[in-house]
Amino acid sequence: CERAGFRLCEAAELHRACGGPDGLLFTFGGTFDAAACNVRQTYSRPDNGEAGAAPTGHFPRCVSAEGAYDLTGNLWEWIRARPAYVGAGWRLIAEQHRDADLACGATIESRGDFESADVGFRCCRTP
């Protein structure tokens, strides 16, 4: 992010982008819908049929009022200032796939050295 003139997003910035100005519980509304985004291994890769991360925009209802795709599901996203991530990923992991864990305001603490292809990041503008 820094090389591009940005920084990692704060949790509050991603929560706001996810829920929009109305503070929706999920990017797609106030009621959970497992088919709206890539959660609980919804997306199957066309090359081998296995579950995985979906291409951005694959789930047209998984866009927030702010215009951000995949803030519910697909990849967990690192946040600035502490080892934690938001957004919930596509992979089923016990105790991290309750509906409340998929909500826009959910933040999951993690080890600072955790690495996985299931975790990504977004860059935000420096104020």
Side-chain angles (χ1 to χ4, degrees):
C1 291
E2 288 175 1
R3 281 186 264 163
F6 295 91
R7 59 172 171 72
L8 279 177
C9 299
E10 303 280 351
E13 291 171 311
L14 291 178
H15 294 164
R16 167 80 165 76
C18 182
D22 296 329
L24 296 175
L25 194 55
F26 305 98
T27 56
F28 45 82
T31 305
F32 182 72
D33 178 355
C37 298
N38 189 20
V39 296
R40 300 181 179 152
Q41 301 182 198
T42 302
Y43 177 76
S44 296
R45 291 184 244 175
D47 58 339
N48 60 16
E50 292 180 11
T56 300
H58 182 81
F59 290 85
R61 291 189 304 138
C62 198
V63 60
S64 74
E66 304 287 325
Y69 284 87
D70 303 319
L71 282 170
T72 299
N74 220 24
L75 296 177
W76 286 282
E77 300 192 34
W78 281 113
I79 57 173
R80 186 175 178 199
R82 68 181 203 250
Y85 45 83
V86 300
W90 64 270
R91 185 185 304 269
L92 285 171
I93 297 176
E95 296 304 315
Q96 292 178 351
H97 270 81
R98 298 167 293 208
D99 292 356
D101 295 324
L102 303 172
C104 289
T107 301
I108 299 170
E109 301 296 323
S110 180
R111 300 185 330 256
D113 62 348
F114 180 76
E115 292 183 31
S116 170
D118 301 334
V119 178
F121 63 93
R122 291 181 195 245
C123 299
C124 287
R125 289 188 178 100
T126 301

